[in-house]
Amino acid sequence: MATVAAPRRFCRCACFYTDNLYVARYGLHVRFRSEQQLRRDYGPILRNRGCVSAKDFQQLLAELEQEVERRQRLGPESAARKALIASSYHPARPEVYDSLQDAALAPEFLAVTEYSVSPGADPKGLLQRLETVSEEKRIYRVPVFTAPFCQALLEELEHFEQSDMPKGRPNTMNNYGVLLHELGLDEPLMTPLRERFLQPVMALLYPDCGGGQLDSHRAFVVKYAPGQDLELGCHYDNAELTLNVALGKVFTGGALYFGGLFQAPAALTEPLEVEHVVGQGVLHRGGQLHGARPLGTGERWNLVVWLRASAVRNRLCPMCRCEPDLVDDEGFSDGFTREEPTTVDVCALT
């Protein structure tokens, strides 16, 4: 009798609905399970940041409850937006939706990938082909896309922004930007980028972080502009590894800054600053505390790819730092996986 394993189900950790809730007004990420718990855990710091009256606190409670409800609706609403976009949206640059070609990638990036899959490739040889931003923090930089591809992708993103299509935003910290899976760019662009190019590189750079076991991702574009988002507060990513590529346009300011691995934002004293270079990508561990300085002038668009390895995160959720409590969800969800029961191969029985 033969059995066939059903596809793995991608899941969230239940902490997504209780932890790491961002309160922009107070510049704070909080865990929220009850009013009593919120007062106990965050009362002093909230008062220091201006949440002083009973009205302030009740407003905060209402905002947190709304955010939890929003998170609970995310999966189905995102799937509905993706279906509507697929049926009704007319791209300005349809070639962007073609399967990822080498011509879209910078020669330096192709050389890095070619080395990474060659016999005898090792981290020392790879580092000779990358820019080491910080050896201590294991942050690296490499050109990723060609200038023409960056331009084409930006034109498509701007066209989508100006359309009447529904738009899901990247997260509660980034209010402007595009979720690439909703736009239909996961399958042709982001999955090949992860599987063919990033995985062999990350396997050499970050073997201890699941670099060779990347099996899902979350990709989005963020936009910073006058009158919109200007900066990004301290945080760490819900990912084992992150690629951050500056797509354009012309801008000043907005440098990335980095602290320690899973460092509390309050303990950040002397951050490492990294300037954006259009077309180039910064590679770092998802747990590396980081943020973005205020934009000076112009517009800055960045592609952010959270790279996830279920073999790592199934053991320890990077957000709550506990064994994950799995909740079924849509698509890649948050990259955790649940092994489904095997099914009997009926054909083998006949």
Side-chain angles (χ1 to χ4, degrees):
M1 180 185 301
T3 59
V4 178
R8 292 178 303 165
R9 180 72 179 264
F10 282 95
C11 306
R12 293 193 189 278
C13 176
C15 76
F16 178 72
Y17 305 109
T18 58
D19 292 23
N20 205 40
L21 306 180
Y22 184 61
V23 184
R25 198 150 29 99
Y26 303 120
L28 191 65
H29 286 86
V30 301
R31 175 184 294 110
F32 174 55
R33 298 184 178 175
S34 68
E35 177 178 347
Q36 182 180 13
Q37 169 266 322
L38 189 69
R39 289 184 182 278
R40 182 184 68 245
D41 293 348
Y42 301 101
I45 190 170
L46 283 169
R47 287 192 292 272
N48 288 338
R49 297 193 181 192
C51 183
V52 293
S53 68
K55 182 179 179 181
D56 290 337
F57 197 84
Q58 290 306 311
Q59 183 178 357
L60 173 60
L61 281 176
E63 290 175 0
L64 290 173
E65 288 167 355
Q66 290 172 6
E67 172 59 14
V68 171
E69 291 174 2
R70 185 192 71 85
R71 291 187 177 202
Q72 291 170 340
R73 298 192 306 268
L74 272 181
E77 289 183 353
S78 180
R81 285 192 299 267
K82 181 179 180 181
L84 178 60
I85 292 166
S87 65
S88 306
Y89 175 63
H90 300 288
R93 298 296 297 265
E95 69 274 17
V96 169
Y97 296 80
D98 294 338
S99 182
L100 180 63
Q101 302 296 313
D102 288 3
L105 301 170
E108 298 91 337
F109 188 59
L110 291 172
V112 162
T113 304
E114 183 178 1
Y115 173 78
S116 298
V117 298
S118 65
D122 59 24
K124 182 177 180 180
L126 177 58
L127 290 177
Q128 294 173 358
R129 294 162 170 82
L130 297 171
E131 176 189 346
T132 298
V133 175
S134 170
E135 182 177 2
E136 175 196 0
K137 299 183 187 300
R138 300 172 70 186
I139 301 172
Y140 309 99
R141 175 155 50 193
V142 63
V144 176
F145 297 118
T146 63
F149 182 80
C150 287
Q151 181 63 31
L153 182 56
L154 275 178
E155 289 178 10
E156 178 57 30
L157 293 168
E158 289 189 300
H159 176 71
F160 177 70
E161 278 290 295
Q162 293 161 9
S163 75
D164 60 359
M165 290 289 102
K167 301 168 182 71
R169 298 309 184 184
N171 49 63
T172 54
M173 299 180 75
N174 293 106
N175 300 300
Y176 300 88
V178 179
L179 295 167
L180 293 194
H181 80 277
E182 291 188 4
L183 193 51
L185 286 171
D186 246 6
E187 293 81 1
L189 178 60
M190 301 317 307
T191 295
L193 182 67
R194 167 172 56 85
E195 292 180 345
R196 291 176 49 204
F197 299 99
L198 290 172
Q199 177 146 321
V201 175
M202 297 303 205
L204 289 176
L205 287 178
Y206 304 102
D208 54 321
C209 303
Q213 300 168 290
L214 304 174
D215 54 359
S216 72
H217 60 267
R218 176 178 171 83
F220 52 92
V221 172
V222 293
K223 178 190 177 187
Y224 298 87
Q228 300 182 5
D229 290 337
L230 292 177
E231 60 187 309
L232 188 64
C234 273
H235 66 286
Y236 51 87
D237 297 338
N238 187 359
E240 278 62 67
L241 301 164
T242 297
L243 168 68
N244 186 330
V245 184
L247 299 174
K249 298 180 176 180
V250 177
F251 58 87
T252 61
L256 289 171
Y257 62 91
F258 290 91
L261 191 67
F262 291 110
Q263 178 184 6
L268 184 63
T269 55
E270 297 182 3
L272 168 72
E273 294 209 359
V274 182
E275 297 292 338
H276 293 283
V277 179
V278 173
Q280 296 196 7
V282 176
L283 306 171
H284 63 86
R285 293 172 291 181
Q288 203 79 44
L289 184 70
H290 62 286
R293 297 298 187 200
L295 183 74
T297 60
E299 286 185 16
R300 179 167 70 83
W301 295 68
N302 281 58
L303 168 65
V304 179
V305 187
W306 288 354
L307 298 160
R308 291 160 166 171
S310 62
V312 174
R313 62 182 35 231
N314 283 352
R315 298 194 301 267
L316 184 72
C317 171
M319 305 310 289
C320 65
R321 308 299 292 167
C322 298
E323 181 180 348
D325 178 10
L326 298 182
V327 178
D328 290 344
D329 197 31
E330 304 283 339
F332 283 141
S333 189
D334 275 347
F336 303 92
T337 56
R338 184 197 306 278
E339 295 296 334
E340 300 283 64
T342 57
T343 58
V344 176
D345 184 352
V346 177
C347 294
L349 299 176
T350 59

